[in-house]
Amino acid sequence: MGASEAAVAADGTGEAAPRAGLSGGRKAVGSVSWAVLVPAMLLLGSAIGQWVTWLGVVVVMAVIAVAAWVIGGVWHRAGAATLVSFGGFALMLFAGPAVYEAYMTTVGDPVDAVVTRVADRDQRRGPDMFCTVRELGGDRGTYEVSQQENCFGQARPGDRVEIRKDPLGLLDPRLPDSPDQRNTTEITLAITAVLTLLVAGGTFYGGQRRRDR
């Protein structure tokens, strides 16, 4: 007698026995693994986007697509998949600036510079403000930085500022905050932390409440 015939004979109804689901321990381990992996990859993609924008966007979009497929398609938790998807998009918007600001303010090299030009370019997409700064010492490099590097018109041509340079040379220098920009980095980091927990929690919930079909 084959395995399928034995299953039919065992319940005596002529119907195959239902497939056993994952044990509680294996389900919890899998849920935790996904709950850590998804937000971690989103944070990595957001950080990459500060260096190479298109590459960071590709990584984040791929992570969101895979997470939505697993949670919504494999685990059959559409609500959790929607929450994680929207949370992932929001996390992309805040995580990149948060990582950049925290990195530059903590490990960036302080360099004296002078603002030589400030331009407000009317663009439909992308940053509008651009500041040109020139180092006063060192190799006297000149850089054009955008709003992504904190150029919001707080500095005027001729102002001396202390910029922060990436010691690895991968990211553009960052202009200092103006007096009315206090605690902006802390706020951005706090929002990023909340969104990270939201994505992780939604993923874990979807994994724990998965439906086997």
Side-chain angles (χ1 to χ4, degrees), residues 4-5 18 26-27 29 36 39 47 59 69 102 104 106-107 113 118 125 135 142 154 159 161-162 178 195:
S4 59
E5 295 174 351
R26 290 179 61 190
K27 182 183 291 186
V29 171
V36 172
V59 172
W69 173 73
M104 295 299 285
T106 53
V107 304
V118 178
R125 290 181 293 180
E135 293 182 57
T142 300
Q154 73 271 34
D159 289 351
V161 296
E162 184 182 76
S178 63
L195 291 172

Side-chain angles (χ1 to χ4, degrees), residues 11 17 25 54 68 78 84 95 125 149 154 186 190 206-207 210 212:
D11 61 17
W54 68 267
V84 171
R125 290 181 293 180
E149 291 79 40
Q154 73 271 34
E186 290 78 3
R210 70 186 70 178
D212 295 323

